[in-house]
Amino acid sequence: MSKEFFPNVPKIKYEGPESDNPFAFKFYDPDKKVAGKTMREHLRFSVAYWHTMTGDGSDPFGVGVNIRPWLSITDKMEQAKARMHALFEVLDKLDIDFFCFHDRDIAPEGETLRESHRNLDEIVSLAKQLMGEHKVDLLWGTACLFQHPRFTHGAATSCNADIFAYAAGQVKKAMEVTKELGGHNYVFWGGREGYDTIWNTDMKLELDNMARFLEMAADYAKKIGFNGQLLVEPKPKEPTAHQYDYDVGNILAFLLGYGLADRFRINIEQNHAILAGHTFQHEIRLARQNGMLGSLDANQGDYLLGWDTDQMTTSIPEAVAVMYEVLHTDGLAPGGMNFDAKLRRGSFEPDDIFLGHIAAMDTYARGLEIAARMKDAGTVDTFVADRYSSWKSGIGAEIVAGKHDFDSLEKYILDKAPIEITSGRREWVEAEINRFI
Ligand code: XUL
Ligand code: CO
């Protein structure tokens, strides 16, 4: 298929901040080196198939509005193939190296699981061929365990054991195709794993079953030799009132409690973080300091709306905070930054796909450069280190070394006066970001 789906969109190139060409990068310069690596290596951008290719712009109040060239094809499999071809045009033109998908985004569901597997195999072999031709990688694969009515009460946490079995069969296949495509990661987002009211719910059994399911999945990954990272993605609510994978802290406790912490890492999303009442930076920090940072779903929620709007990131302070955390790790690989972001319903033209991604890519490129300069200057890191300097020597170092108990601490402090504390300088610290923008 050599048809061009977006004929009026050129290959997007870096033109610099002075450019007013909407179809150009102003800040994302893929091969530019920042902090010892190219922007491309740091950022590892990925297109989310479900939003960018399959999403139709519908919302709870209205039907789909997106104009997409492949929608005129009525045969479902032919449409799926055209959409897969279109993905590679999007990736080529945006110079993005990765994509992510749910099984049902790329191939239509059949009458039986067997037929769904067959449909999936056909599209996966096309994807594999195109990935080779276009030098594109799969950041992660996953299974959609939430759209079909059978998953109304959840999948691994359904009240119905047959549904648990169905979900197992579906995830087994999704892991196989992720391996087949050389996926760097496999993601478990809880879909409908949670409850709407605790009054009709056996929470203990549901949580035990979720752990059983994840353990079986990790065992199966090992059995088939899938060496990618297994990632759990937190979200506190929506679609259920209470999602079990609430936030990073909750997932950590869950994995530790069930003895699974060494088999999974975490895929963190900005909109999910703020729905949980956290910042994205908090979630990334908590995961990274526990060695659990796996990958990022790079989007942005609306601070005025209480739901998961999955917007393209355009906030530079958000991006600076993310990249500051990332620069304090060895980098995101094998994870990356997946644009789990959909265009606003009003942005329904095909060109908006490109404008939306350019906006987010430029935002993160800017965030990376600013964060790198901040880290280089070292003022914030030095301030934080100084703030905790009492732990480096004297009594602090002794406490850390385990040399004290309540008796010895009382004895030490009983007659000590005055005890001085110093300012946290919150306003200064936050203004440091502005100095580098
Ligand atoms: C849902 C969400 C998912 C996961 C993959 O809010 O973020 O798209 O990222 O299932
Ligand atoms: Co997500």
Side-chain angles (χ1 to χ4, degrees), residues 48 50-51 100-102 105 140-146 187-191 233-235 237-239 243 267 269 271-272 275 297 299 308 310 338 340-342:
W50 53 102
H51 288 311
C100 297
F101 68 87
H102 300 83
D105 307 330
W140 47 265
T142 188
C144 175
L145 302 177
F146 45 92
V187 164
F188 297 85
W189 168 59
E233 178 175 327
K235 183 176 187 179
K237 53 189 157 193
E238 197 188 307
Q243 297 274 128
N267 182 44
E269 177 167 328
N271 208 157
H272 299 177
L275 284 176
D297 270 5
N299 66 11
D308 197 21
D310 286 341
N338 172 45
D340 189 354
K342 58 176 173 265

Side-chain angles (χ1 to χ4, degrees), residues 33-59:
K33 283 225 168 162
V34 179
K37 278 196 282 189
T38 64
M39 285 190 164
R40 184 193 299 281
E41 287 163 339
H42 278 289
L43 295 164
R44 297 171 60 82
F45 289 135
S46 157
V47 164
Y49 205 95
W50 53 102
H51 288 311
T52 297
M53 309 311 298
T54 316
D56 63 2
S58 58
D59 70 12

Side-chain angles (χ1 to χ4, degrees), residues 271-343:
N271 208 157
H272 299 177
I274 68 169
L275 284 176
H278 305 305
T279 61
F280 199 13
Q281 186 177 15
H282 164 92
E283 292 288 80
I284 299 171
R285 178 80 62 93
L286 187 58
R288 84 166 164 86
Q289 70 191 20
N290 284 285
M292 296 295 273
L293 177 59
S295 197
L296 300 177
D297 270 5
N299 66 11
Q300 176 182 300
D302 190 315
Y303 285 97
L304 300 182
L305 298 172
W307 68 86
D308 197 21
T309 54
D310 286 341
Q311 293 162 219
M312 286 290 181
T313 307
T314 51
S315 160
I316 289 173
E318 278 282 353
V320 172
V322 170
M323 297 320 300
Y324 199 74
E325 295 304 317
V326 170
L327 287 174
H328 283 79
T329 68
D330 288 341
L332 280 172
M337 301 193 85
N338 172 45
F339 292 122
D340 189 354
K342 58 176 173 265
L343 302 165

Side-chain angles (χ1 to χ4, degrees), residues 125-136:
S125 76
L126 172 65
K128 190 171 180 181
Q129 175 210 321
L130 292 170
M131 286 169 71
E133 287 168 20
H134 294 257
K135 307 222 173 339
V136 161

